[in-house]
Amino acid sequence: MTALTLSTAGAATLRADALVVGVAKAGKTLVVAPGAEAVDKAFDGRLAAVLETLGASGGEGEATKLPAPAGLKAPVVLAVGLGSAPEEGESYDSETLRRAAGTAARVLTGTKKAAFALPVASAEAAGAIAEGALLGAYSFDALKEQKDGKKPLAEVALLGAKPRDKAHKAAADRALAVAEEINRARDLINMPPNDLYPATFAATVQAAGKEHGLKVQVLDEKALAKGGFGGILGVGAGSVNPPRLVRVAYTHPKAERTLALVGKGITYDSGGISLKPAGHNETMKCDMSGAAAVFATVVAAARLGLEVNVTGWLALAENMPSGSATRPGDVLRMYGGKTVEVLNTDAEGRLVLADAITKASEEHPDAIIDVATLTGAMVLALGERTFGIMANDDDYRTAIHEIAGEVGEQSWPMPLPADLRKTMDSPTADMANMGVRMGGGLIAGLFLQEFVGEGITWAHLDIAGPAFHEGAPFGYTPKGGTGSSVRTLVRLAELTAAGEL
């Protein structure tokens, strides 16, 4: 794991293997961002001119390496683009700094120590730079026998922050905890399904529970059958790896409110009898991203000592075809007694979530938020970088959307049209797990709403788009699992603890 330090040293005097500075566009001119004054001085005030000669424009995502001149202890300077320079009196926004730091950390793979001399106008800016660098330095190579010779950036030294300032130190500590838990989620998402299946996922949660003082309860297939969890059991019926329902809880003695987070944990989704075609199942190890995000959030809340109770419910199953698998046309009796006709076994996430939401409702939390890679329809609607938000309370949906924007996650509020509910009516059960094709993401949300306890505020995050990135890395986002929604959920927990939600 990449180490993080706050340094009082100047950019010119700190010994490091690379020195990161920011550059931006001011009209048609390239300018050096605050924090790099000493570096610019070492270039005789010509750092921007030299970078322009090398083709740098200051655009976001751009990175330019150049040898350091005499006067700097670091042998290499890395200039990262910050986009348009802010107006006079304003500062760079946190997400710009977060992405720039992430870009730098990725470019500096194989480097032992890098000093980041990006603009630190506040504790919030310091936290964003630290978080971006730690996320950008992520790498998943645990299963590679032959390494490529380059290890992730080993140490981030953050310049311009104030180690003795409580706000700056708290921001750095928070960034470290949140980034490490996002990377924990990424590791789980990237694990192959022959290594991560319901039982091993549950064991991972139990181990973390012991480390962080969390209460963990695991319901195995026998306990699920005894309890009547027909949704989870029905989805897992075709696999040799039986399902699990995991409850992982963080409690604080001064907490006055409780959040219940419910995560979809399909450790591999073949589609079941409604089998996915080739080209659509190769990345389906990521279908447990919601459960990974929930798990990571609970651990982060514990590490941060938030004055709010956070309970995670991980609905874990493997959706496989076999002679014992649920068939299209079967009727499942869900936890709580409601019956559901299964018209499509590839609409399985809502079935496991329904059982978990019903169970979570029995504890009467102040709010339930479920997180799931639930529908391809949401990806079609919002693209691959934005998650959808649905809720039974418009104000709560708006609050989550604003929180996501605050922490740098792209989201969009989505409706729950009542007229679509009737399309899930079934002649043989209380409802079906499918409705009309158009608006499939909304129908999934309407299905889940049916299982929320009366009077409980509920929101649904469909992270199918941003949970797993198949393209080239960008900013602090790697190829593979991203840890989508963890930052939003942690911030939601913080604001709930503060009484602001």
Side-chain angles (χ1 to χ4, degrees):
M1 184 61 69
T2 303
L4 173 67
T5 58
L6 302 186
S7 178
T8 57
T13 58
L14 182 68
R15 293 188 180 279
D17 300 295
L19 184 57
V20 179
V21 300
V23 290
K25 302 175 183 178
K28 295 183 179 180
T29 304
L30 185 70
V31 296
V32 178
E37 292 84 359
V39 181
D40 191 31
K41 183 178 179 181
F43 279 88
D44 296 325
R46 291 183 48 79
L47 176 56
V50 172
L51 287 167
E52 282 187 309
T53 301
L54 294 173
S57 67
E60 287 193 33
E62 185 180 81
T64 307
K65 272 186 181 181
L66 64 165
L72 298 180
K73 296 292 185 183
V76 173
V77 173
L78 176 65
V80 289
L82 300 173
S84 298
E87 298 293 330
E88 187 175 349
E90 297 182 0
S91 303
Y92 290 92
D93 69 82
S94 294
E95 180 62 6
T96 295
L97 296 174
R98 192 180 288 113
R99 290 186 180 183
T103 296
R106 285 192 299 101
V107 171
L108 293 172
T109 297
T111 304
K112 289 185 177 180
K113 181 178 180 179
F116 283 68
L118 295 173
V120 180
S122 64
E124 181 183 352
I129 295 168
E131 187 175 270
L134 294 168
L135 293 176
Y138 173 80
S139 174
F140 182 76
D141 56 6
L143 302 179
K144 292 182 179 179
E145 183 66 26
Q146 295 183 345
K147 312 295 182 183
D148 62 9
K150 289 189 175 182
K151 295 182 179 180
L153 174 63
E155 182 182 350
V156 171
L158 182 56
L159 308 184
K162 304 170 184 177
R164 297 181 182 179
D165 182 279
K166 289 184 178 179
H168 282 238
K169 188 176 185 307
D173 290 344
R174 180 189 185 279
L176 181 64
V178 173
E180 287 184 347
E181 293 314 314
I182 290 172
N183 288 339
R184 181 198 297 271
R186 289 171 169 181
D187 281 348
L188 288 167
I189 296 164
N190 289 328
M191 285 294 288
N194 59 323
D195 284 335
L196 188 76
Y197 44 91
T200 55
F201 198 151
T204 300
V205 177
Q206 288 174 315
K210 290 180 180 179
E211 181 182 355
H212 297 285
L214 307 173
K215 186 176 181 180
V216 180
Q217 179 186 10
V218 178
L219 299 184
D220 63 13
E221 66 272 28
K222 292 181 180 179
L224 291 170
K226 184 177 180 180
F229 291 86
I232 297 174
L233 288 168
V235 172
S239 176
V240 296
N241 294 310
R244 297 286 187 270
L245 177 61
V246 179
R247 180 185 185 273
V248 52
Y250 160 71
T251 57
H252 191 286
K254 295 183 180 179
E256 296 181 355
R257 296 176 66 79
T258 297
L259 288 177
L261 308 179
V262 179
K264 173 187 173 183
I266 304 300
T267 56
Y268 181 74
D269 182 19
S270 69
I273 298 297
S274 305
L275 192 66
K276 293 179 184 290
H280 293 266
N281 55 19
E282 290 81 0
T283 60
M284 281 298 102
K285 64 181 183 180
C286 77
D287 214 17
M288 37 58 67
S289 296
V294 165
F295 172 37
T297 300
V298 176
V299 179
R303 292 181 61 174
L304 296 172
L306 302 183
E307 291 187 14
V308 59
N309 298 327
V310 184
T311 304
W313 297 88
L314 315 183
L316 309 177
E318 190 174 69
N319 187 22
M320 296 290 287
S322 75
S324 61
T326 294
R327 297 155 293 231
D330 282 355
V331 173
L332 303 178
R333 186 171 296 277
M334 312 294 285
Y335 181 75
K338 192 185 296 288
T339 56
V340 174
E341 182 183 10
V342 179
L343 298 180
N344 187 330
T345 64
D346 197 22
E348 83 299 328
R350 64 200 70 181
L351 298 174
V352 300
L353 288 173
D355 274 0
I357 289 171
T358 303
K359 184 63 176 175
S361 296
E362 292 180 347
E363 298 185 358
H364 305 288
D366 293 284
I368 295 175
I369 301 95
D370 76 75
V371 190
T373 47
L374 204 60
T375 65
M378 195 59 62
V379 185
L380 291 173
L382 299 178
E384 296 180 336
R385 296 189 183 183
T386 303
F387 62 78
I389 308 170
M390 285 161 260
N392 61 4
D393 181 312
D394 287 350
D395 290 338
Y396 201 64
R397 181 186 63 188
T398 298
I400 294 175
H401 175 52
E402 292 175 349
I403 289 168
E406 177 188 339
V407 300
E409 294 198 292
Q410 294 174 221
S411 70
W412 196 253
M414 302 293 283
L416 289 169
D419 60 288
L420 291 179
R421 167 59 186 86
K422 63 180 179 291
T423 70
M424 288 186 285
D425 287 347
S426 165
T428 55
D430 293 320
M431 62 188 304
N433 76 327
M434 295 288 289
V436 292
R437 181 168 177 265
M438 299 302 175
L442 311 182
I443 285 173
L446 287 164
F447 180 92
L448 295 177
Q449 185 176 222
E450 293 282 322
F451 297 87
V452 179
E454 186 175 354
I456 299 175
T457 300
W458 160 79
H460 161 57
L461 310 186
D462 190 337
I463 62 171
F468 195 84
H469 180 58
E470 296 186 64
F474 65 94
Y476 51 80
T477 301
K479 186 179 181 70
T482 65
S484 175
S485 79
V486 174
R487 283 181 287 156
T488 298
L489 294 174
V490 171
R491 187 60 182 147
L492 176 68
E494 288 175 328
L495 293 175
T496 301
E500 297 182 34
L501 282 177

